[in-house]
Amino acid sequence: MLLTFSAMSGMTVVPAMAQTTSAPTHTVHKAHAKKTRATTRTTTTTPVAAAPVAPAGTAASRNASVVSQTVPTEAAPVRSGSENIVVTGTLFRDPNATSASPITHITSRDLQQRGIKTVSQAMQLLSSNGAGNLTNAWSAGGGFAAGGSAPSLRGLSTDSTLVLMDGQRNSYYPLADDGERNFVDTNWIPQSIVQTIDVQQDGGSATYGADAVAGVVNIITRKEIKGFEGNAEGGLSQRGDSGHQRLYATYGHGDLNNDGYNFYVNSEYQQDDPLYYRQLQGPYNNGDLTGIGGTNGNYNILQDGTIRNFTGTPTALVRPSNGAGGGVGPWQVLNPAGCGATGGALVTGTQTAGDGGRSQACTMNSQRYEQVAPDQRRISATAHFTANVTENSQLTAMFNYSQNRTIVTGTPYGTYGSTSYTQDLQANVQGTPLPATLPNGQLNPNDPFASQGQAAQIAYRYGDLIPTTQALSQNFRGSVDYGGSVASKWGSDWIYDVNFVGMNTLLDQRITGVPTINGEINAINNGTYNFVDPSQNSQAVLNSIAPPNVIHARTQEYSGQATLSKGLFRLPGGMTKLAIGGNWRYEALNDPSANPSHPDDPGEQYTGYINPVNARGHRWVESGFFEVNLPFIKMLNADVSGRYDHYSEGFSHFSPKVGVQFKPFKQLTLRGTFSNGFRVPSFAETGGSNVGYTSYTITNPAFLAQHLNPDGSIDPYAQAYRIGNNTAGNPNLRPETSTNFTGGPIFRPTNWLTLSAEYYFIRKNHYIAPNPIGVQTVADAWVANGNAGLPPNVTVTPGIPDPQNPGGSLRPGIINLGYINTNKISTDGVDLSFEAHSRLPGALHDVLWFSKGTATYVRSLNLTLPDGEVQHYAGTLGPYGAVSGSGTPRWRANWQNSFTYKKLTLTPTVYYTSGYKNVAEDQTGADSRFGCGDNVLTSSSFVPTRCHTKSFWDVDLTVNYKFSKRWSAYANVYNLLGFRAPYDFGTYGGYLYNSSWAQNGVVLRSFQFGMNVTL
């Protein structure tokens, strides 16, 4: 698996000229068309200092799947309006358009040279991709949006980065990130048809509307492919696991210049095998951390005379039942031989709970079933057609189908102390003893005390029921674009464009291996499940305990847009241009809960972690927009744009933007942008619910007095339990609004060196977040005074009655806290980049050298709460709850160098992510960043205290060799030097390491080999 932590090095930060053409096909003279067909297929003009021209036949001038940044010498000027040109960040469809926005420009050649095989990998490697990014590794850890991946530009979460294809919108992934945030899944996009990826790193709402607060990712597909292109590759890690296979084939026919049309079809397949923690090196492969100064966190280890964790037996533990939901005496293993059969070991220790006996337990590696990376398979098919309808107009149509299947497994659930996402119903299972006699009158073979007429308490983990989620995301997308020019009697030609896109994403989730309340109780009471020898249980028995759960979710996106632009009059610096346009679109989502409540039969609910999230909604959006370009003088250019959006939910917003470029002399350009933007509330935030559970203990004396055992002690109902926190949708939310600023210089001291620096600042007001009122505060108020004690817009759903004292007061079951508009969140920092190219001196003159470096420094990422408290996250693990515990490293940087000699190209890339403190002020309190306490540990009993997580380095190497004009081969080595991931005991995105920044550090070295053919 490719490293998913560092800056994308294979990129060009396009300075003053921020445009990208959608693979424009330059005119080839007919006399040379046949002769040059193999080497002049699809090229891209990039308005930066050209890299040195590679000799014909070298890896740098390979077939159409590799985009050269060198402008072909035979290219004729592109006629305005003769083809549809996608220009990121502006409405002007002009290959010579300029922009003051900072835009990172990634070509397909960049992707190949760095061994990047998916768009998702490219996004995760961006230096500006920060806190809250959604990785495939995070899906393996049980994230809410399993199977999805998305960037988080500037650390403002996935919902503030707008992902487009050819300038058009895509449908959302049906599952919300953290159950709250809508985002576009980048996993579905077939990488082999990608021409370029433009990343606009400032506000884009003035051009694209909502969700572009932190930036825009525009994936531009190839316009023309001629002949056949194919690829086959495979790979594995140094341990022989993490298998990888990839195939793609493309065939195209027709020449736009000579035939007036081009049609191509493409298909792509990629399989990435799962990787489990048990396959890794220590200590990541085990719950026993005594070797690094921690304790033994494996399940059911006897420590200090007590069994530490009752939930982890791969075979059953039993002891006599006390008739009140508990047990007496020491625990004993029901079948000691079963320990070894399930990968555990039998241990014995002293029980200190006053029973005077010795307890037995099976140990089990707590990481036995957990995944580092999921089993993931991608399949896609594309049909693309382009035709020159007239001399000055062009039609483009494309249809995409893709499917992404992800399989994630987890640790089996148990009967005792299992993490419950079903209110307090799990207590029904824990309080259900193994009866001495079955309903048919026979002695219960699962109860070793049955012959004495004694029921038994059981603690068991269903080792034959592996929780498995298979998510199949299918995407259907069709788009059409017609554009061109019409001659005008005054000024320049009219440039027009009309396009439509429709996309549906269907997500089917099949969840198996998770018990239901009734399933467990029936298996215990009726003796249908064989606890003594689980291997004897039939599939029918297993299905009766854990019936398969199938969920169907869907999102839709339909959008139509028209733009018209024209040069109006000339200023000293050039032609003043105006563009206007309109857009309408329809968006919808329906995501049912995987674990809905069953008021008539609560036992139908599942005991384990199945996403208790649902969201639904739909809306119409109408928009109008404009842009004016004003070249006042040769050295000063300004661009003014704005967009008005109206939503059927009842709110509207106007987003303005101003960009300025000033070029006092040839080597220096100063640029800056100022804009306002907005993010609409997600469907989950307005019309969904997200139920999570946390531990809660009632202390109210009047309540406790109603829930006593016969001996006067407090019965289990009134002791610590898991209380629900339902973050419910709020249809009255206001959109988040933003203020964005970017500015900095671009310096070109020579024609082979470009340096740039960019300061950025973003502030989001009316920041949407769950109501910050504490669950415990609300629960205490309700226990004391009922509904009269509740804050406004907060409700409580009572729990089930006390089985022992049904007449007593009900305890709070679910606290219903909605989303609200809080205060603001802001971030600022600096982007740095350089690019150099030259031939090496002396005897190495035949070696072409191309070097790129990028870095992002996060100076601040601060959240201001409604009461005015400011939480500071930069350089820490914060914001903890909102970003998967990934944290906010201050620095992400890289340095890439490509050396080309004849047919051979070597590209080493160095990646760097800085360390951070293991504190998070949203968890550890205001100003805790100044201390050295590690208070955000996910398993503080088992790991040593560590204040700081170290920085991480990685070196990747790609070798390309071109045998002929048609055949080439390559090898990728990831984490060439075998750097190990630094320990991170606070994050919950991975076990002992941070999966957002250091994935390659647990995979260690991995290798991929492939062949390309062009016919």
Side-chain angles (χ1 to χ4, degrees), residues 293-467:
T295 56
N296 194 335
N298 281 334
Y299 294 129
N300 278 28
I301 286 294
L302 289 154
Q303 279 189 312
D304 303 324
T306 61
I307 299 178
R308 173 170 291 277
N309 187 343
F310 284 108
T311 66
T313 54
T315 62
L317 288 179
V318 291
R319 63 179 177 178
S321 172
N322 66 3
V328 294
W331 289 98
Q332 68 182 55
V333 174
L334 184 60
N335 178 12
C339 287
T342 54
L346 180 66
V347 296
T348 303
T350 301
Q351 185 79 3
T352 60
D355 50 57
R358 293 177 63 82
S359 289
Q360 295 177 321
C362 287
T363 67
M364 185 179 75
N365 182 1
S366 62
Q367 297 305 115
R368 177 181 177 83
Y369 301 96
E370 300 297 324
Q371 287 182 330
V372 179
D375 181 341
Q376 195 159 45
R377 184 196 67 199
R378 301 177 178 90
I379 300 174
S380 68
T382 299
H384 188 282
F385 176 74
T386 306
N388 296 327
V389 180
T390 68
E391 183 180 358
N392 294 310
S393 67
Q394 191 174 86
L395 173 72
T396 300
M398 180 170 62
F399 176 78
N400 306 96
Y401 168 77
S402 75
Q403 62 171 243
N404 180 38
R405 187 216 63 192
T406 303
I407 300 177
V408 177
T409 63
T411 299
Y413 295 103
T415 63
Y416 191 97
S418 173
T419 299
S420 173
Y421 275 76
T422 53
Q423 206 172 315
D424 49 359
L425 299 173
Q426 182 68 14
N428 288 348
V429 177
Q430 296 174 195
T432 301
L434 288 168
T437 304
L438 298 178
N440 61 8
Q442 296 180 350
L443 293 178
N444 188 348
N446 293 314
D447 179 8
F449 318 110
S451 60
Q452 291 84 39
Q454 172 68 58
Q457 183 188 20
I458 184 170
Y460 177 68
R461 186 176 289 271
Y462 295 93
D464 48 2
L465 288 173
I466 309 301

Side-chain angles (χ1 to χ4, degrees), residues 819-835:
Y819 293 98
I820 64 171
N821 291 104
T822 60
N823 204 318
K824 63 184 177 182
I825 189 170
S826 63
T827 183
D828 74 327
V830 176
D831 291 324
L832 304 172
S833 70
F834 78 92
E835 181 176 326

